């Protein structure tokens, strides 16, 4: 980075100084930088794993997603109605004649907005440090990651494990019986995966982290099966949310996050129920969290995927008057300590506040066995829901996190059963996971053809050489891969689509309808799995 470039900038901050390696360090609760040219594109950076992260033309505006009930699960609800281009913790602007101006916070609780001819960053709670970079995007992010690492820490484990995860084939329809069968198949067919990760579907309820009736051996019994097959046992939990049907909700309402008026803070809607958030500053809630993590370790799980973590950083009135993202970090620290040496994969996680406290992080929305969903894309204006294109788009823009943690772009598919992705789309996902360095799949041995299985095994075993050749292009073992034409943002919907979308969006606010959808989804899943036995 050329520091003399900074002479052209008009900076408003309490203080600023040069940083070794390039760029400037600014201090202030609000800082702003006048742009040295006309802005052309802005980098939207989403709050948590699933939130949209993408470069967009400055004339593009982030639409308000529908329905509002889902906002907490999709983006930072505090800034969801911001009309100007904006981003969580940082923003980057490409100005005319190339070149990027980047303003990124080195602390928590920060947001960046593009004004007409300047970029402005604000901390919610108190003043803090900012990094101002200018020049080439790649060099700027390298420097930003380095500065974040100095303050928040980095990862502990050199190589990410290869993972088999139950979610993208079985969803919640898992059982001890089906998992033991799959485990046996992986073992006899010698799939090169280190971790066997049990996802959503084993628990009594969201909040009651005990095995349900489909796991009669208990979760310790299940872990023993995994270990006997020479794999690390992995388990999914969403420890910072609770649903009304859980006993956690019924017995410990005071541990949940309330607003100033004493009402529970909504944290989204899933599993046919509204979600509520744990107050991670409440001493008893923290004790419960630590005990839960120790229990999971005691059962024999050395890899945990913790999901829906954004709930810990929602705005509300907490037991301790901490800024919301510092409160989340308190919870995550407790979790990290209680987990000891276990591998921690965070998911649905606020990005910067999780740095230094996890080993891996999901860096985009869920993949799916389809490319995209026109209803969600055009009518609900939502680019954060499960879908392969959404996952590719956001994950490709988050690879700069690699010096700080293992970047998990989610699972790859090799199967053609129960899959509408084309060969090209499957390859794009596979290549992204090679570049991200984190390989996971949910493909079931019994669903694959001989050729598909051989290709998947060879893929898992491969260690290709990778060079970045452009913003979204790479050379993988001499093969050129270019993602650029696959990840453009869809044009904003036209007038009639918008009206129709408004109607669908307001219907989708209705919880009875959402419950009915959930039931229908489960029935369809059961039917699919009947037709395609494990
Ligand atoms: C288990 C899953 C898997 C998956 C996670 C997370 O309603 N939603 O918008 C929504 C988005 C993502 C999501 C679930 C619901 O997926 O990312 O890998 O673990 O939970 O429930």
């Amino acid at each position: 980075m050329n520091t003399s470039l900074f002479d052209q900038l008009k900076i408003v901050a309490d203080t600023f100084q040069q940083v070794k390696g390039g760029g400037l360090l600014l201090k202030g609760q609000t800082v702003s930088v006048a742009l040295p040219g006309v802005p052309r594109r802005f980098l939207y950076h989403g709050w948590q794993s699933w939130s949209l992260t993408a470069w967009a033309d400055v004339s593009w505006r982030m639409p308000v997603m529908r329905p509002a009930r889902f906002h907490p699960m999709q983006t930072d609800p505090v800034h969801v109605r911001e009309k100007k281009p904006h981003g969580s913790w940082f923003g980057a602007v490409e100005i005319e004649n190339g070149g990027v101006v980047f303003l990124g916070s080195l602390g928590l609780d920060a947001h960046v907005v593009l004004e007409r001819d300047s970029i402005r960053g604000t901390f919610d709670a108190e003043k803090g440090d900012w990094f101002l970079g200018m020049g080439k995007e790649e060099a700027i992010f390298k420097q930003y990651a380095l500065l974040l690492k100095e303050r928040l820490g980095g990862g502990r484990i050199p190589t990410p494990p290869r993972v088999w995860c139950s979610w993208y084939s079985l969803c919640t329809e898992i059982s001890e019986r089906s998992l033991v069968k799959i485990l046996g198949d992986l073992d006899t067919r010698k799939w090169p995966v280190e971790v066997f990760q049990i996802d959503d579907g084993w628990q009594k309820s969201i909040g009651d982290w005990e095995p349900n009736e489909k796991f009669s051996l208990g979760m310790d019994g299940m872990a023993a099966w995994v270990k006997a097959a020479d794999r690390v046992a992995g388990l999914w939990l969403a420890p910072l949310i609770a649903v009304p049907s859980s006993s956690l909700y019924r017995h410990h309402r005071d541990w949940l996050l309330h607003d100033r008026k004493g009402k529970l803070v909504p944290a989204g809607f899933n599993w046919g129920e509204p979600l509520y958030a744990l107050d991670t500053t409440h001493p008893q809630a923290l004790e419960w969290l630590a005990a839960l993590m120790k229990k999971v370790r005691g059962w024999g799980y050395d890899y945990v995927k913790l999901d829906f973590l954004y709930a810990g950083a929602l705005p509300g009135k907490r037991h301790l008057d901490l800024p919301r993202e510092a409160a989340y970090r308190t919870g995550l620290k407790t979790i990290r300590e209680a987990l000891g040496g276990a591998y921690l994969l965070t998911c649905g996680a606020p990005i910067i506040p999780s740095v230094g406290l996890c080993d891996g992080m999901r860096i985009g929305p869920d993949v799916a066995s389809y490319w995209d969903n026109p209803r969600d894309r055009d009518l609900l204006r939502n680019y954060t829901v499960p879908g392969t294109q959404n996952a590719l788009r956001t994950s490709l823009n988050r690879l700069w996190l690699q010096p700080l943690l293992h970047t998990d772009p989610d699972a790859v598919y090799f199967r053609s059963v129960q899959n509408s992705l084309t060969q090209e789309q499957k390859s794009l996902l596979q290549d992204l996971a090679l570049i991200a360095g984190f390989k996971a799949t949910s493909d079931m041995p019994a669903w694959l053809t001989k050729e598909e299985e051989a290709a998947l095994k060879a893929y898992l075993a491969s260690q290709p050489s990778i060079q970045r050749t452009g913003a979204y292009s790479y050379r993988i073992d001499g093969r050129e891969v270019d993602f650029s034409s696959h990840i453009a943002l869809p044009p904003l919907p036209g007038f009639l689509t918008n009206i129709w979308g408004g109607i669908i969006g307001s219907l989708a606010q209705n919880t009875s309808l959402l419950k009915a959808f959930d039931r229908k989804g489960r029935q369809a899943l059961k039917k699919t799995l009947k037709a395609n036995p494990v």
Side-chain angles (χ1 to χ4, degrees):
M1 267 172 276
N2 183 345
T3 21
S4 70
L5 286 174
F6 291 101
D7 300 343
Q8 309 165 26
L9 299 180
K10 248 211 251 120
I11 297 168
V12 181
D14 294 0
T15 62
F16 57 90
Q17 67 188 76
Q18 285 195 8
V19 187
K20 216 176 101 206
L24 295 182
L25 184 75
L26 318 185
K27 267 192 204 301
Q29 181 154 16
T30 296
V31 300
S32 81
V33 179
L35 298 171
V38 180
R40 280 173 42 177
R41 296 195 305 152
F42 184 81
L43 176 60
Y44 280 80
H45 181 251
W47 189 50
Q48 53 115 324
S49 306
W50 307 326
S51 318
L52 176 72
T53 295
W55 280 98
D57 193 274
V58 283
S59 62
W60 191 82
R61 286 294 177 271
M62 178 85 93
V64 179
M65 290 172 274
R66 300 173 171 131
R69 191 178 290 287
F70 289 145
H71 285 168
M73 300 164 63
Q74 299 168 335
T75 183
D76 185 344
V78 173
H79 298 283
V80 67
R81 291 180 197 280
E82 171 63 64
K83 291 208 170 60
K84 296 171 189 146
H86 66 109
S88 297
W89 303 289
F90 66 79
V93 194
E94 186 191 83
I95 48 179
E96 239 167 31
N97 309 321
V100 166
V101 177
F102 171 97
L103 180 65
S105 102
L106 298 173
L108 317 174
D109 294 297
H111 208 77
V112 169
V113 178
L114 177 66
E115 302 290 349
R116 212 151 49 94
D117 45 17
S118 66
I119 182 165
R120 178 169 49 82
T122 310
F123 277 107
D124 265 4
E126 50 194 36
K127 73 167 138 194
D129 291 352
W130 299 89
F131 169 62
L132 174 63
M134 198 169 154
K136 289 220 161 53
E137 188 184 348
E138 201 176 342
I140 292 172
F141 272 113
K142 207 168 157 194
Q143 178 78 332
Y144 183 49
L146 202 81
L147 293 171
L148 286 174
K149 197 173 190 170
E150 279 171 19
R151 280 149 211 258
L152 301 175
R156 308 169 304 141
I157 296 171
T159 333
R162 293 165 294 185
V163 180
W164 188 86
C165 152
S166 57
W167 182 250
Y168 300 92
S169 290
L170 299 171
C171 301
T172 47
E173 286 304 306
I174 51 173
S175 67
E176 185 173 271
R177 204 172 50 80
S178 57
L179 293 180
V180 166
K181 161 73 170 60
I182 295 164
L183 203 51
D185 285 350
L186 297 187
D187 202 24
T188 45
R189 297 167 184 227
K190 300 199 167 46
W191 280 30
V193 290
E194 286 83 26
V195 173
F196 185 85
Q197 185 241 309
I198 303 168
D199 214 281
D200 185 5
W202 63 271
Q203 72 284 356
K204 277 210 166 97
S205 169
I206 302 295
D208 298 341
W209 302 103
E210 289 294 336
N212 58 34
E213 69 291 346
K214 293 184 294 172
F215 288 83
S216 59
L217 292 173
M219 294 322 281
D220 50 346
M222 192 62 232
W225 272 97
V226 179
K227 287 186 188 178
D230 231 4
R231 300 299 198 301
V232 171
L235 195 63
W236 172 96
L237 300 99
L240 303 188
I241 51 172
V243 293
S245 65
S246 67
S247 55
L248 178 70
Y249 177 96
R250 277 182 273 119
H251 300 310
H252 299 291
R253 193 83 68 92
D254 54 320
W255 297 0
L256 301 179
L257 184 62
H258 290 75
D259 63 17
R260 297 208 172 269
K261 292 186 190 137
K263 274 180 58 189
L264 283 173
V265 172
F269 194 96
N270 201 15
W271 302 279
E273 291 190 72
L275 314 180
Y276 297 104
L278 199 70
D279 174 359
T280 55
T281 67
H282 195 293
Q284 280 167 306
L286 280 174
E287 248 173 61
W288 172 86
L289 253 185
L292 173 60
M293 295 302 130
K294 286 186 180 145
K295 177 170 82 180
V296 168
R297 287 305 309 280
W299 284 341
Y301 294 86
D302 294 332
Y303 176 105
V304 286
K305 170 178 172 185
L306 300 187
D307 206 353
F308 290 77
L309 292 180
Y310 65 86
L314 291 173
K317 187 173 170 351
R318 292 182 162 76
H319 184 82
L320 290 184
D321 190 19
L322 283 183
R324 59 197 176 111
E325 281 155 338
Y328 165 73
R329 216 168 149 80
T330 306
L332 197 58
K333 253 191 203 132
T334 300
I335 288 174
R336 172 80 273 178
E337 275 161 27
L339 282 176
Y343 189 101
L344 171 55
L345 178 72
T346 52
C347 187
I351 306 296
I352 303 296
S354 307
V355 167
L357 295 174
C358 59
D359 300 297
M361 180 194 283
R362 255 289 280 293
I363 52 164
D366 287 19
V367 297
S369 56
Y370 48 85
W371 181 245
D372 65 354
N373 177 335
R375 180 201 65 195
D376 292 339
R377 186 193 59 208
D378 300 331
L379 298 176
L380 305 180
R381 309 187 296 197
N382 186 339
Y383 320 119
T384 72
V385 274
T388 292
Q389 189 187 33
N390 287 343
L392 280 172
R393 187 192 293 116
T394 288
S395 291
L396 277 163
N397 284 301
R398 292 245 183 81
L399 295 174
W400 65 271
L401 284 161
Q402 276 174 347
L404 299 166
L405 38 83
H406 297 155
T407 48
D408 168 18
D410 212 3
V412 299
Y413 295 91
F414 277 73
R415 70 175 198 239
S416 38
V417 164
Q418 286 306 317
N419 197 345
S420 66
L421 293 173
T422 64
Q423 188 49 52
E424 187 190 20
Q425 292 163 349
K426 282 188 263 186
S427 297
L428 288 168
L429 256 191
Q430 293 158 14
D431 286 336
L432 168 63
L434 290 178
I435 296 160
F438 194 102
K439 293 188 223 168
T441 188
S442 288
D443 278 352
M444 303 230 272
W447 289 8
L448 295 174
T449 64
K450 272 212 163 58
E451 293 72 32
E452 286 164 355
E453 185 179 4
L456 172 54
K457 283 171 69 176
Y459 170 86
L460 290 169
S462 69
Q463 287 183 313
S465 81
I466 295 166
Q467 289 104 37
R468 192 175 182 186
T469 55
Y472 301 113
S473 57
Y474 294 83
R475 190 172 301 126
I476 305 177
D477 267 349
R479 185 167 52 86
E480 309 291 335
V481 183
D482 192 345
F483 296 93
S484 319
S485 61
H486 304 281
I487 56 165
L489 279 166
L492 292 180
F495 181 70
L496 282 180
T497 315
N498 209 9
I499 303 253
W500 183 223
I503 297 169
I504 302 285
S506 54
L507 285 176
Q509 275 288 86
N510 182 298
T511 51
S512 313
L513 215 67
L514 290 176
K515 265 184 202 159
F517 254 100
D518 184 72
R519 267 197 307 274
K520 225 180 116 222
R522 273 171 209 262
Q523 279 161 7
L525 178 64
K526 282 199 174 124
K527 228 170 114 191
T528 308
L529 291 172
K530 230 185 182 153
N532 299 283
V534 172

